[in-house]
Amino acid sequence: MAKNANILEKEAIELETKLKKAAVKEDGSRDDELLKFLYDNYHKRFLQDNKQIWDNGKLMIPFSLSAFGFYATLKCPNLESVIVLALASIALAFVWLSNAENHRAFQNKSFVWMRAIEIILLGPDVKTPFKIPDDWFNKQLSRPAAVNMTIRGFFFAVLIGWLLIIYYNI
């Protein structure tokens, strides 16, 4: 995330130059109303993308995992039925992963806009941290890219789970 944060910061600084030109009124003063409007808009988008990730997860995770439960109820599972369950389960996990990664990219775009506005209003020397953990445990769970790694880990756990089940059913 540190490398990604540096890329986002560079993009924000480049955008800040363009935004400064756009946020100047005819009399040469800064258009704070425009900046506030843009900041609020991108903040709402950022939150909406986060909501979309987890709303989709609320559907995709249970359906993806329910295939394991259905497999467990089969009296004599054959390879064909296991493969069908596996493909459906993996596909649902992948749809969520793909959706989450896309919305995370949208969040990064919104973050760049918000950071550019912060640079205009507060100056380039003010660095606002991404997160401020409060203790050791929280620091471990909120480290950079922790959520991304969890979502990716979920997908690979489903994939590996089905590969093991298929392997032991052959």
Side-chain angles (χ1 to χ4, degrees):
M1 179 71 172
K3 184 178 180 181
N4 190 26
N6 289 337
I7 292 169
L8 293 176
E9 185 69 19
K10 286 179 185 175
E11 288 179 10
I13 291 170
E14 290 172 10
L15 180 61
E16 175 257 348
T17 305
K18 295 175 187 171
L19 191 55
K20 269 186 179 174
K21 292 176 186 172
V24 173
K25 293 180 181 178
E26 289 180 16
D27 64 359
S29 65
R30 189 174 65 207
D31 189 352
D32 287 343
E33 286 302 313
L34 173 64
L35 293 175
K36 181 183 180 322
F37 173 78
L38 287 173
Y39 194 90
D40 288 346
N41 190 326
Y42 281 105
H43 185 256
K44 286 176 187 171
R45 288 183 188 189
F46 185 91
L47 295 176
Q48 184 59 35
D49 284 319
N50 195 60
K51 183 179 180 324
Q52 191 67 40
I53 290 168
W54 296 108
D55 283 352
N56 288 333
K58 284 190 285 190
L59 291 172
M60 298 298 179
I61 293 171
F63 283 126
S64 179
L65 295 178
S66 67
F68 286 104
F70 187 74
Y71 166 76
T73 65
L74 296 176
K75 301 271 189 241
C76 293
N78 59 28
L79 187 59
E80 293 81 17
S81 62
V82 172
I83 288 175
V84 168
L85 286 172
L87 290 176
S89 177
I90 292 167
L92 288 168
F94 181 76
V95 166
W96 184 51
L97 171 67
S98 176
N99 181 276
E101 291 294 333
N102 277 288
H103 282 285
R104 190 78 58 215
F106 292 138
Q107 280 187 309
N108 287 342
K109 178 183 177 185
S110 294
F111 177 80
V112 167
W113 274 94
M114 291 186 305
R115 181 65 185 124
I117 294 167
E118 289 171 2
I119 291 170
I120 291 171
L121 297 175
L122 305 173
D125 296 332
V126 176
K127 299 287 185 205
T128 55
F130 290 102
K131 299 176 185 174
I132 303 174
D134 59 1
D135 63 13
W136 177 86
F137 188 70
N138 181 264
K139 188 175 185 176
Q140 299 309 308
L141 295 176
S142 64
R143 67 188 186 282
V147 174
N148 295 21
M149 296 309 293
T150 301
I151 293 170
R152 293 171 189 168
F154 171 77
F155 170 74
F156 286 111
V158 168
L159 179 65
I160 290 168
W162 283 112
L163 290 175
L164 290 171
I165 289 171
I166 290 170
Y167 176 75
Y168 286 110
N169 274 290
I170 293 179

